């Protein structure tokens, strides 16, 4: 009888610790996944703020640069495209396809905003407009917040991906379908800079 109890204890202890490790590894992956999803939610908040500022910026500029209708329409179209890509990415943060589409849409938006700012330089009255200056200041502040939120998101994705690829946690990640998360990266070096604002 004593031998049976010793055998049960000898077998039960490693099984208990193995189960504890399994639960701990699973919970760590869940926590890291939730952290990068929260990181993307912070990007989403800043993007929505920026998307709300852009129509006001365009409306303010319309009265001054009437001959630049194509530029104004391009900004609004790029804003709408970026907003749609952001909404798609917000549904599945970390999804490679959604993140690449968002990156492309954000690159296009930055380009059209850059053209708008370049055109605005030629209109001194627009540059002196207090509403325009205020909107530009808010947009610059938001761009800085987007960059900070993107860095926090990428850090969280890196921690998650490292954990899910590290042995022996990778066995748990594979068994419970913890797929890789995609970083939010802007491909071209010149596009990594926020639109230049000078009023």
């Amino acid at each position: 009888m004593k031998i049976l109890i010793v055998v049960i204890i000898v077998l039960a202890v490693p099984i208990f610790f193995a189960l504890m490790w399994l639960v701990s590894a699973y919970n760590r992956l869940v926590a890291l996944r939730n952290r990068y999803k929260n990181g993307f939610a912070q990007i989403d908040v800043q993007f929505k703020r920026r998307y709300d500022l852009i129509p006001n910026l365009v409306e303010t500029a319309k009265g001054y640069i009437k001959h630049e209708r194509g530029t104004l329409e391009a900004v609004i179209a790029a804003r709408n495209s970026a907003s749609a890509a952001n909404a798609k990415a917000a549904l599945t943060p970390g999804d490679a396809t959604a993140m690449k589409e968002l990156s492309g849409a954000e690159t296009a938006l930055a380009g059209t905003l850059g053209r708008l700012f370049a055109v605005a330089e030629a209109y001194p009255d627009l540059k002196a407009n207090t509403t325009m200056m205020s909107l530009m200041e808010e947009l610059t502040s938001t761009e800085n917040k987007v960059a900070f939120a993107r860095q926090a998101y990428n850090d969280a994705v890196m921690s998650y991906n490292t954990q899910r690829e590290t042995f022996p946690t990778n066995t748990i990640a594979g068994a419970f379908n913890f797929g890789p998360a995609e970083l939010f990266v802007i491909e071209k070096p010149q596009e990594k800079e926020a639109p230049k604002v000078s009023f």
Side-chain angles (χ1 to χ4, degrees):
M1 185 69 166
K2 289 183 180 181
I3 294 176
L4 181 61
I5 292 173
V6 170
V7 169
I8 290 172
I9 291 173
V10 167
L11 293 176
V13 169
I15 291 172
F16 173 76
F17 283 113
L19 287 174
M20 291 303 294
W21 174 83
L22 177 72
V23 168
S24 176
Y26 180 86
N27 288 342
R28 176 80 175 138
L29 286 168
V30 169
L32 290 170
R33 181 177 59 196
N34 288 341
R35 190 173 299 148
Y36 84 72
K37 286 182 177 183
N38 179 57
F40 188 83
Q42 301 309 312
I43 294 172
D44 185 46
V45 166
Q46 297 307 322
F47 278 164
K48 286 178 180 171
R49 179 175 179 216
R50 183 173 61 172
Y51 300 150
D52 290 344
L53 286 171
I54 291 171
N56 294 333
L57 186 71
V58 169
E59 280 302 313
T60 302
K62 269 185 184 178
Y64 293 92
I65 54 176
K66 295 176 184 172
H67 303 293
E68 304 292 344
R69 183 176 175 175
T71 300
L72 297 174
E73 289 173 353
V75 169
I76 292 299
R79 176 244 183 225
N80 293 341
S81 177
S83 181
N86 182 54
K88 183 178 178 184
L91 294 175
T92 55
D95 176 67
T97 303
M99 295 308 293
K100 286 179 182 166
E101 287 176 16
L102 177 59
S103 179
E106 283 297 317
T107 298
L109 178 58
T112 59
L113 281 173
R115 284 197 302 272
L116 174 62
F117 299 151
V119 167
E121 285 289 320
Y123 295 86
D125 291 342
L126 178 59
K127 286 172 45 173
N129 181 291
T130 56
T131 303
M132 187 70 165
M133 288 171 50
S134 173
L135 289 168
M136 297 299 287
E137 192 172 301
E138 281 188 59
L139 189 61
T140 300
S141 171
T142 302
E143 291 295 336
N144 291 336
K145 291 175 183 174
V146 165
F148 180 75
R150 188 174 61 225
Q151 181 61 48
Y153 166 80
N154 284 342
D155 289 345
V157 165
M158 184 65 73
S159 294
Y160 167 79
N161 283 338
T162 299
Q163 185 68 37
R164 67 170 289 284
E165 293 171 7
T166 305
F167 182 80
T169 310
N170 62 347
T171 58
I172 305 302
F176 290 99
N177 296 319
F178 283 92
E182 185 74 20
L183 295 170
F184 184 18
V185 179
I186 296 176
E187 298 297 325
K188 298 178 183 173
Q190 67 270 23
E191 293 165 353
K192 290 184 180 181
E193 299 174 20
K196 186 171 181 172
V197 178
S198 58
F199 275 92

